[in-house]
Amino acid sequence: KHLKPVKKKGKVKIVSVFSKMLSMVHKVDYSIEDRKGKVLVNRCCINRKYEDEVLEALDRCYKMGIMVSDRVGFEHRGDRLIMSTICSSTVDGILIKHGIPVIPYCGGILELSKDRFIEIISYDGTSLDPHEIFLNRVDGENTVLSGVRKAPMVGREKLIEIVKYLNWKGIYKVGKPNNDVCGVKVEKNMFGYICFGGMNPFAILKSRGIPVEVSALHGVVEYSELIPVEELV
Amino acid sequence: KHLKPVKKKGKVKIVSVFSKMLSMVHKVDYSIEDRKGKVLVNRCCINRKYEDEVLEALDRCYKMGIMVSDRVGFEHRGDRLIMSTICSSTVDGILIKHGIPVIPYCGGILELSKDRFIEIISYDGTSLDPHEIFLNRVDGENTVLSGVRKAPMVGREKLIEIVKYLNWKGIYKVGKPNNDVCGVKVEKNMFGYICFGGMNPFAILKSRGIPVEVSALHGVVEYSELIPVEELV
């Protein structure tokens, strides 16, 4: 697993989630044209007695557009339900494969009514996934899990093109070059873009007091193995 | 308060704890020779019925050496007890006043038995204090709140000199130049040093299920207004 510390001269070095993300995004090979290929998912285990609540949470996030794409994994295993949602890092992977060098910057809580981040945690220099920390601090209505990436200005037009072609829910905003985006600082010659976090459905369940076991950036699956939310609910 | 977002062109910009720390450390003017001056404190409000537990937590941290200096603030206000502990950023402030350009890097959980960080959160690009996030994830025995700073190699000898002269509990380790420190990456021409977090006593109380209201990097007080732990317990 990518969070296992790297041995260095017999000493254990702590790995940042930034490094983990960069190594995972390279496994993405989703083809927009063929609508197939490998994508990254977050995973949530929950008792299957909460199946109705799960479907409701997925439906809500889908209708609000606060999840990434419309595909989910939904498996029964004994008395448990395993949900998978596409991780926003998948979009980074698709963009990188198209030659746009995106840099993950931070994960945080976006307040929709204010179009502003109210909390952020840097990916670089941090060992935990920020969305796992913020999971019980969002309501999935006005406050949602979101992430910021930055890319060089020159890639902006192409990024917008690819995002349009991709046609997935979940990309919230592409910032202007040299401009802050939703209150997050962006350096000169860069622009920022914001994706909703794939774990918003899990956050909604957690906000209702339902026990969930969550694993951010859990692994790689084939897109074709996932089900459209509309078919599920 | 320093966490109030800075208005920029009518839009609200999120402020990182890194910026907050850098602006606060400049208020430190503690004189090692005179043993007086301004220091930075963390604050904790607790119901005064827990006074015994508070004294026990302070005593334990003091004996283990996992708090910064031996001074605390201890005030009664109605049915509440207000504890203040010296914040590790005070040490940064003292070093900076002596001409050593320290850079706060991350806050995290240090596992003492392994002499390694098991979790870290970057200060830069993060809006919350990492120790507030980790407050209920340490036991104050084997896992403790700690922070990492970095400084240019050239300042290392002087730093060690000042830290010796200061003679406060709380400085855990000064790393070798160009070497990682307790598993945290350190760039070329830099060295890292580790301080225990001032909030370890608050974490111990919280780990016992005692309700605490905590404010990291709360403000500035006169060192002489604080009381030695040994006098208190």
Side-chain angles (χ1 to χ4, degrees):
Chain A
K1 246 190 69 128
H2 291 267
L3 267 172
K4 209 186 273 305
V6 171
K7 295 264 180 199
K8 189 187 171 195
K9 295 185 184 172
K11 303 251 177 218
V12 160
K13 196 157 102 161
I14 199 160
V15 176
S16 83
V17 68
F18 179 80
S19 311
K20 182 186 180 191
M21 289 168 84
L22 289 184
S23 53
M24 294 286 273
V25 295
H26 281 95
K27 298 174 183 252
V28 171
D29 67 3
Y30 178 78
S31 155
I32 305 180
E33 193 171 281
D34 304 332
R35 294 208 191 177
K36 41 188 231 185
K38 293 189 179 60
V39 295
L40 301 175
V41 293
N42 309 300
R43 173 183 276 207
C44 176
C45 296
I46 188 170
N47 190 300
R48 60 187 290 184
K49 68 181 179 183
Y50 297 112
E51 187 161 322
D52 288 345
E53 286 87 343
V54 167
L55 294 172
E56 210 202 300
L58 287 171
D59 189 43
R60 173 140 71 109
C61 289
Y62 171 69
K63 293 198 165 101
M64 281 184 72
I66 59 168
M67 57 190 279
V68 179
S69 110
D70 66 334
R71 303 284 157 128
V72 297
F74 197 87
E75 275 182 70
H76 292 118
R77 272 191 219 170
D79 66 340
R80 305 218 300 173
L81 176 55
I82 318 283
M83 309 164 61
S84 306
T85 55
I86 292 185
C87 181
S88 52
S89 296
T90 306
V91 178
D92 303 341
I94 293 168
L95 292 166
I96 284 169
K97 284 272 188 312
H98 282 83
I100 302 169
V102 306
I103 303 162
Y105 179 61
C106 64
I109 302 175
L110 184 66
E111 188 167 342
L112 292 173
S113 59
K114 295 197 172 125
D115 188 37
R116 282 285 169 277
F117 277 92
I118 55 174
E119 297 291 9
I120 55 171
I121 292 176
S122 169
Y123 292 129
D124 197 11
T126 295
S127 58
L128 312 128
D129 190 299
H131 287 172
E132 284 189 14
I133 295 169
F134 291 134
L135 197 71
N136 54 2
R137 299 192 194 207
V138 296
D139 59 17
E141 272 182 72
N142 184 34
T143 54
V144 294
L145 301 171
S146 289
V148 183
R149 277 81 173 129
K150 299 182 184 178
M153 225 161 86
V154 294
R156 191 171 182 275
E157 243 182 75
K158 189 168 184 193
L159 180 141
I160 291 175
E161 209 180 282
I162 293 166
V163 159
K164 270 197 191 136
Y165 184 32
L166 177 64
N167 199 26
W168 277 3
K169 285 184 188 289
I171 290 89
Y172 174 68
K173 182 177 279 203
V174 179
K176 294 182 193 155
N178 297 324
N179 266 254
D180 295 347
V181 65
C182 294
V184 175
K185 182 187 75 161
V186 175
E187 293 73 23
K188 204 160 165 18
N189 296 323
M190 304 284 275
F191 70 98
Y193 72 95
I194 295 171
C195 272
F196 290 113
M199 301 214 292
N200 276 305
F202 310 166
I204 288 172
L205 293 165
K206 188 146 189 180
S207 74
R208 290 177 168 191
I210 296 170
V212 292
E213 283 165 43
V214 156
S215 173
L217 214 55
H218 179 81
V220 183
V221 303
E222 273 295 326
Y223 179 81
S224 48
E225 286 172 12
L226 301 172
I227 315 160
V229 174
E230 286 181 305
E231 276 182 33
L232 255 186
V233 303
Chain B
K1 246 189 68 130
H2 290 266
L3 266 173
K4 211 186 268 306
V6 172
K7 297 263 178 199
K8 190 187 173 197
K9 294 187 186 172
K11 304 253 176 216
V12 160
K13 196 156 101 163
I14 199 160
V15 176
S16 84
V17 69
F18 179 79
S19 310
K20 181 187 180 189
M21 289 169 85
L22 289 183
S23 52
M24 294 286 274
V25 295
H26 281 95
K27 299 174 182 251
V28 171
D29 67 4
Y30 178 77
S31 155
I32 306 179
E33 193 170 282
D34 304 333
R35 292 208 191 176
K36 40 186 233 186
K38 292 187 178 62
V39 295
L40 302 175
V41 293
N42 308 301
R43 174 183 276 207
C44 177
C45 296
I46 189 170
N47 190 300
R48 58 188 289 184
K49 67 182 179 183
Y50 298 110
E51 188 162 321
D52 288 342
E53 286 87 342
V54 166
L55 294 171
E56 209 201 302
L58 287 171
D59 189 43
R60 174 140 70 106
C61 289
Y62 171 69
K63 293 199 164 102
M64 282 184 71
I66 60 168
M67 57 190 279
V68 179
S69 109
D70 66 334
R71 303 284 158 128
V72 297
F74 197 86
E75 274 181 70
H76 292 118
R77 273 192 217 167
D79 66 341
R80 306 219 297 174
L81 176 54
I82 318 283
M83 308 163 64
S84 306
T85 55
I86 292 184
C87 181
S88 53
S89 296
T90 307
V91 178
D92 303 342
I94 292 167
L95 293 166
I96 285 170
K97 284 273 188 310
H98 282 84
I100 302 169
V102 306
I103 302 162
Y105 180 61
C106 64
I109 302 175
L110 184 66
E111 188 167 341
L112 292 173
S113 60
K114 294 195 173 130
D115 188 38
R116 282 285 169 276
F117 277 92
I118 54 173
E119 298 289 10
I120 55 172
I121 292 176
S122 169
Y123 292 130
D124 197 12
T126 295
S127 57
L128 312 129
D129 191 298
H131 287 172
E132 285 189 14
I133 295 169
F134 292 134
L135 198 71
N136 54 2
R137 300 193 194 207
V138 296
D139 60 16
E141 273 182 71
N142 183 34
T143 53
V144 293
L145 300 171
S146 290
V148 183
R149 277 82 171 127
K150 299 182 184 179
M153 226 162 86
V154 294
R156 191 171 182 277
E157 245 183 73
K158 189 170 184 192
L159 180 141
I160 290 175
E161 209 179 282
I162 294 166
V163 159
K164 269 196 191 134
Y165 182 33
L166 176 64
N167 199 26
W168 277 4
K169 286 185 188 289
I171 290 89
Y172 175 66
K173 182 179 277 203
V174 179
K176 295 182 193 157
N178 298 323
N179 265 254
D180 295 347
V181 65
C182 293
V184 174
K185 181 187 74 159
V186 176
E187 293 75 23
K188 202 161 164 20
N189 295 324
M190 305 284 274
F191 70 97
Y193 72 94
I194 295 171
C195 272
F196 290 113
M199 304 214 291
N200 276 306
F202 310 167
I204 288 172
L205 294 164
K206 187 145 191 181
S207 73
R208 290 176 169 192
I210 296 170
V212 292
E213 285 166 42
V214 157
S215 173
L217 214 55
H218 179 82
V220 183
V221 303
E222 273 294 327
Y223 180 81
S224 49
E225 285 172 15
L226 302 172
I227 316 160
V229 174
E230 286 181 305
E231 276 182 34
L232 256 186
V233 303

